[in-house]
Amino acid sequence: MLDPEKGFTSDVITDPNRFVGRTDLIRACMQALNSPTSLIAIYGKRGVGKSSLLRQVQQMALGDYTLAENAGLGHEIPQRPRTYLTVFYTCDSMIDSGEALLSRLINDQDDEDGLLRLVPDEGKEVIEFTRAKEASAGADLKVVNWGAKGIESTKYAKVVPDDTVQTFRNFLSSIVQHQVKKRMKRDGLLILLDEFDVLANKKGLGSLIKSLSSKDVKFAICGIGQDLTDLIEDHASVERLLEQGAIHVRPMPEPEALAVLDKAEELYQGELKFDPDVKRDIVDVSQGYPYFVQMIGKSCVTKASQSKTNRVDTEIYQAVLGDIKNGVAFPTLESAYQRAIGTSENRQMLLHLMAEQTEQKTLFHEDVGRIFLKHARQDAEDFNVDYLDQNLPRLLDSKYGPVLRRIPEGQGIYEFNNPVFRLYVRLRAF
Ligand SMILES: Nc1ncnc2c1ncn2[C@@H]1O[C@H](COP(=O)(O)OP(=O)(O)O)[C@@H](O)[C@H]1O
Ligand SMILES: [Mg+2]
């Protein structure tokens, strides 16, 4: 049996040797990391590869430039790159203010990524570790023993009661002084915040981040959005910090999506091969979304194993497509599909009509992915669907997804919230 995870993963990619393509984005991240003041803001659609890029930023921050070298950017790496200690935090929608965010960071006890691990404190034992397999990779700090005082942030020195912002500042300055400069001799502390878009209240976050950024403390934020304002409402306050650091992750161009499959073959070290036709088909249905390539790739490996072959040919691929059509290949996407359509065949029809629409550019954004209802309406008449207007609301209802969202810039323009779900619907039978 071949292990599907050996070549494919639906997880965020932390290992630089599994990360494919994105040369221009890697360059931009490298420049932003090496500018003393710049803020890094990574944005783009769901499933496009933002978090994976953010993890690569973390690697480079630690001084591991394997990725840049692999991408052919070796000559652009600075003589002496700026290096950092790092904190990595994934936000959630329960965080309803800037202060709440700082409070979460102050209390985060993650051994390898949390902020609290870096605050000097008696009895706590912190050791160096590397996040990659390579011995040459950059080191970070992790906690192996939290010490006698326990791990509540309130027991730490320099806590100012009822003043989260000041406590946070105190934590930062003692981290910078003791761990960053004295112990690890780094240039700064990098705080990476993933899923920044889900924060319930973004008011004032830009200016908060600006006020906390310095030559010693840098932020990298990442989340779903089609422009910067989706991430930072008061983006004017950070505009100057963003000269190099605004990074839009778009769907992969076809050669990069293809390279995800080549990379997988490389990881299988000859144990698995894809027929060129199959590769082309997978790239075609994936529309630049690496998540879809990875998931289909994984299914192909499983199917090939079951058929006792190490060659993914058209037959294996068709069997995988058959599973997708029947709704048994990807349980998570399938349950989203079932939730969206409920028991209505008309709604199912409408969903498929929407997913099939050719993507269109709008006046205001270069981004594609918009669906114009009037086109769907024409098609609906051709297909004789009467209940289009009755069936649309559920697709917009957050109780059932929401599958679609209305685009405010014009009437009757919609977008699939999850582009990967759209790709799924296109392959699903109805
Ligand atoms: N550069 C890349 N090379 C190969 N696979 C990638 C790359 N970027 C993302 N992926 C894959 O795509 C999927 C989505 O990636 P992720 O970083 O979680 O996206 P996002 O944060 O934008 O939703 C994961 O399965 C991941 O393994
Ligand atoms: Mg993500």
Side-chain angles (χ1 to χ4, degrees):
M1 274 303 263
L2 286 169
D3 176 9
E5 296 285 332
K6 188 167 170 184
F8 295 102
T9 177
S10 46
D11 279 345
V12 172
I13 298 204
T14 49
D15 181 352
N17 290 310
R18 297 184 74 131
F19 188 90
V20 170
R22 305 301 198 187
T23 306
D24 292 341
L25 302 182
I26 297 168
R27 176 186 289 119
C29 291
M30 187 162 86
Q31 287 171 353
L33 272 175
N34 284 290
S35 121
T37 52
S38 168
L39 162 71
I40 301 172
I42 296 175
Y43 57 95
K45 291 186 178 159
R46 196 186 299 262
V48 82
K50 302 176 301 297
S51 299
S52 300
L53 184 66
L54 190 66
R55 282 292 185 184
Q56 302 310 315
V57 169
Q58 182 179 30
Q59 288 288 355
M60 291 194 282
L62 295 169
D64 176 4
Y65 276 84
T66 313
L67 179 69
E69 274 154 22
N70 291 350
L73 298 174
H75 58 291
E76 293 182 35
I77 303 170
Q79 277 284 320
R80 198 199 146 296
R82 286 178 66 87
T83 56
Y84 300 81
L85 282 179
T86 68
V87 166
F88 193 109
Y89 190 77
T90 303
C91 303
D92 62 64
S93 58
M94 305 292 283
I95 302 174
D96 61 2
S97 67
E99 201 176 317
L101 174 61
L102 297 187
S103 162
R104 285 293 199 85
L105 288 170
I106 285 171
N107 286 289
D108 182 27
Q109 296 160 13
D110 191 282
D111 290 344
E112 297 188 354
D113 279 323
L115 181 100
L116 193 57
R117 83 188 199 280
L118 296 173
V119 183
D121 194 58
E122 264 168 63
K124 187 166 73 185
E125 203 183 330
V126 182
I127 60 158
E128 271 182 49
F129 81 110
T130 105
R131 291 175 189 270
K133 284 181 238 98
E134 284 70 40
S136 63
D140 209 341
L141 292 176
K142 87 170 162 195
V143 174
V144 287
N145 182 359
W146 286 93
K149 275 184 164 181
I151 52 178
E152 284 162 51
S153 65
T154 47
K155 294 185 182 148
Y156 278 73
K158 309 199 174 186
V159 170
V160 185
D162 301 322
D163 192 340
T164 312
V165 178
Q166 194 52 48
T167 301
F168 188 79
R169 285 182 185 282
N170 289 351
F171 278 19
L172 287 188
S173 68
S174 81
I175 290 173
V176 167
Q177 188 189 339
H178 294 283
Q179 311 285 39
V180 172
K181 304 287 179 187
K182 209 182 276 168
R183 177 174 185 152
M184 299 297 282
K185 312 214 169 1
R186 301 284 165 91
D187 299 292
L189 173 70
L190 177 68
I191 301 177
L192 305 117
L193 303 172
D194 198 7
E195 301 193 12
F196 201 76
D197 60 291
V198 306
L199 296 177
N201 172 9
K202 298 192 182 61
K203 227 183 164 73
L205 281 175
S207 63
L208 180 66
I209 284 181
K210 186 185 174 193
S211 76
L212 294 167
S213 298
S214 66
K215 67 178 198 346
D216 296 323
V217 179
K218 187 192 281 295
F219 283 84
I221 61 175
C222 174
I224 295 170
Q226 58 213 0
D227 55 34
L228 222 67
T229 50
D230 289 335
L231 280 196
I232 316 174
E233 245 167 45
D234 52 340
H235 62 110
S237 57
V238 291
E239 221 130 69
R240 255 176 358 109
L241 295 183
L242 272 168
E243 264 160 35
Q244 287 153 306
I247 291 161
H248 189 173
V249 186
R250 293 189 170 84
M252 286 180 157
E254 287 191 355
E256 287 190 13
L258 191 64
V260 174
L261 295 164
D262 295 339
K263 171 61 78 179
E265 285 182 330
E266 184 190 317
L267 293 165
Y268 281 110
Q269 299 172 303
E271 282 177 321
L272 185 86
K273 286 277 173 217
F274 282 81
D275 280 6
D277 287 358
V278 173
K279 282 190 185 171
R280 223 169 305 125
D281 287 345
I282 295 177
V283 167
D284 195 44
V285 298
S286 300
Q287 304 269 303
Y289 283 85
Y291 185 60
F292 218 54
V293 181
Q294 299 275 5
M295 292 214 302
I296 293 181
K298 234 198 243 192
S299 296
C300 288
V301 178
T302 309
K303 261 298 176 250
S305 280
Q306 286 164 357
S307 310
K308 301 194 173 56
T309 173
N310 59 0
R311 202 183 121 204
V312 179
D313 56 13
T314 311
E315 204 178 314
I316 299 284
Y317 178 60
Q318 287 303 328
V320 168
L321 283 183
D323 284 354
I324 298 176
K325 272 201 179 69
N326 297 326
V328 296
F330 307 138
T332 319
L333 289 169
E334 179 62 17
S335 65
Y337 179 84
Q338 293 299 340
R339 193 165 56 227
I341 62 173
T343 53
S344 159
E345 263 178 47
N346 286 324
R347 201 178 301 115
Q348 185 174 22
M349 168 91 87
L350 175 62
L351 180 63
H352 282 266
L353 275 178
M354 297 296 257
E356 291 296 329
Q357 295 297 303
T358 43
E359 304 195 275
Q360 312 231 2
K361 291 178 194 213
T362 61
L363 285 174
F364 307 97
H365 291 282
E366 47 188 309
D367 233 2
V368 292
R370 281 35 190 332
I371 295 159
F372 292 83
L373 189 57
K374 65 171 191 283
H375 300 176
R377 221 182 278 270
Q378 283 156 8
D379 290 350
E381 273 162 24
D382 297 343
F383 283 99
N384 202 9
V385 176
D386 300 326
Y387 300 113
L388 192 137
D389 292 329
Q390 282 97 313
N391 286 307
L392 193 61
R394 177 153 166 161
L395 300 181
L396 295 164
D397 189 336
S398 60
K399 270 206 303 275
Y400 305 105
V403 168
L404 299 174
R405 67 185 191 97
R406 208 172 256 129
I407 302 290
E409 70 201 31
Q411 266 218 332
I413 308 177
Y414 298 86
E415 183 179 55
F416 272 76
N417 265 323
N418 181 357
V420 171
F421 180 72
R422 179 184 191 178
L423 298 174
Y424 179 71
V425 175
R426 290 163 93 133
L427 296 183
R428 179 75 170 69
F430 79 96

